[in-house]
Amino acid sequence: DLITQIQQMAKFVAGIDCLLSFAETAVAGGYCRPSINTDGRLSIEEGRHPVVEKMITGERFVPNSILMDQEERQVIVITGPNMAGKSTVLRQVALFVLMAQAGCPVPAVSADIPLTDRIFTRIGALDNLSAGQSTFMVEMEETANILNNATSDSLVILDEIGRGTSTFDGLSIAWAVAEYLHDLDGKGVKTLFATHYHELTELSKQKSRVKNFNIAVKEWNDEIIFLRKLVEGGTN
């Protein structure tokens, strides 16, 4: 009938509009067409955050490369000071996975993205006091949801775990979460874990697929310069 035909036409036009938007954005931003794999490898060369690079003022956006897989670089612990850019790196990787699977080009020189069943994020400090939930309670509930539902085909983004309680309790929780995700079902899950707990860098000595990275900073004339570059190793 006429209503069905109109609905079908609207759906077709919406699809064309979406693809056109993808194409225009890709050309204007210098995006690349990502490849999709089924072996769990995530490789991004010179990736940029699609929103931050447009909004940033007063400095150039510094692109970063990252490689994750299921054999050697599955859990990446990222250390570094506040404001250095840890959260930006985490979020742009998650956005790349989402954009690629939606059929959208991504802001990078090249990208190889694995088929991913779900993206789990635990980011920021948020409470729900009206329901009797403190910041720490919300953080733990979100973390528990990740631990109970993530699979070896998931991507997990953790931006600080254990902040809402005492230092050693928080460190213990963060350590246990990282260990659990590394060992999950004997396969582990790709995890980006930004933390101020420098002690977590010791995990790489105990777990074979944990690797340490940090956001580089430089001291110059008694000032701290954020280089915004992800480099291998833990911060000092």
Side-chain angles (χ1 to χ4, degrees):
D1 58 4
L2 182 58
I3 293 178
T4 301
Q5 290 178 342
I6 292 174
Q7 289 174 333
Q8 290 175 340
M9 178 58 70
K11 184 177 181 180
F12 176 77
V13 172
I16 295 296
D17 181 51
C18 177
L19 294 175
L20 179 60
S21 297
F22 285 171
E24 287 185 338
T25 302
V27 171
Y31 290 14
C32 76
R33 178 183 178 183
S35 57
I36 304 293
N37 68 72
T38 57
D39 60 12
R41 175 185 169 88
L42 191 157
S43 174
I44 298 169
E45 182 182 355
E46 298 293 291
R48 295 139 24 221
H49 192 293
V51 178
V52 175
E53 76 163 341
K54 298 297 184 185
M55 303 295 291
I56 195 170
T57 58
E59 61 179 296
R60 180 181 67 90
F61 187 91
V62 178
N64 274 296
S65 301
I66 195 163
L67 172 63
M68 303 178 74
D69 56 37
Q70 307 290 71
E71 293 78 36
E72 297 179 353
R73 302 155 70 99
Q74 190 175 48
V75 178
I76 294 183
V77 175
I78 303 177
T79 49
N82 283 320
M83 300 299 293
K86 299 190 299 296
S87 297
T88 300
V89 171
L90 264 62
R91 296 174 195 221
Q92 74 186 42
V93 172
L95 282 172
F96 270 49
V97 172
L98 183 64
M99 292 168 70
Q101 296 202 155
C104 181
V106 294
V109 172
S110 66
D112 189 18
I113 306 296
L115 282 176
T116 304
D117 57 8
R118 296 174 77 177
I119 301 171
F120 292 94
T121 64
R122 168 45 236 165
I123 292 173
L126 185 70
D127 61 51
N128 187 10
L129 296 181
S130 62
Q133 296 179 319
S134 66
T135 302
F136 180 64
M137 186 64 182
V138 171
E139 179 182 311
M140 290 298 96
E141 285 199 341
E142 290 182 358
T143 302
N145 178 60
I146 293 172
L147 300 183
N148 287 322
N149 292 288
T151 74
S152 58
D153 293 322
S154 302
L155 174 67
V156 175
I157 304 297
L158 300 175
D159 196 349
E160 303 289 355
I161 291 290
R163 285 188 299 186
T165 187
S166 64
T167 300
F168 290 113
D169 286 353
L171 171 59
S172 299
I173 292 168
W175 187 289
V177 168
E179 275 194 336
Y180 183 89
L181 290 171
H182 177 279
D183 298 340
L184 184 66
D185 295 332
K187 298 179 181 179
V189 53
K190 282 188 293 298
T191 304
L192 287 164
F193 199 139
T195 184
H196 283 299
Y197 293 129
H198 187 267
E199 294 87 346
L200 283 185
T201 59
E202 295 295 313
L203 261 175
S204 64
K205 300 177 182 178
Q206 302 179 20
K207 298 294 181 179
S208 61
R209 299 187 304 280
V210 174
K211 292 293 180 287
N212 293 319
F213 280 79
N214 73 91
I215 305 294
V217 297
K218 185 177 181 179
E219 293 184 52
W220 185 73
N221 287 348
D222 294 327
E223 291 186 1
I224 297 294
I225 300 173
F226 296 121
L227 302 180
R228 313 292 187 197
K229 203 68 179 174
L230 186 69
V231 296
E232 196 153 3
T235 190
N236 63 27

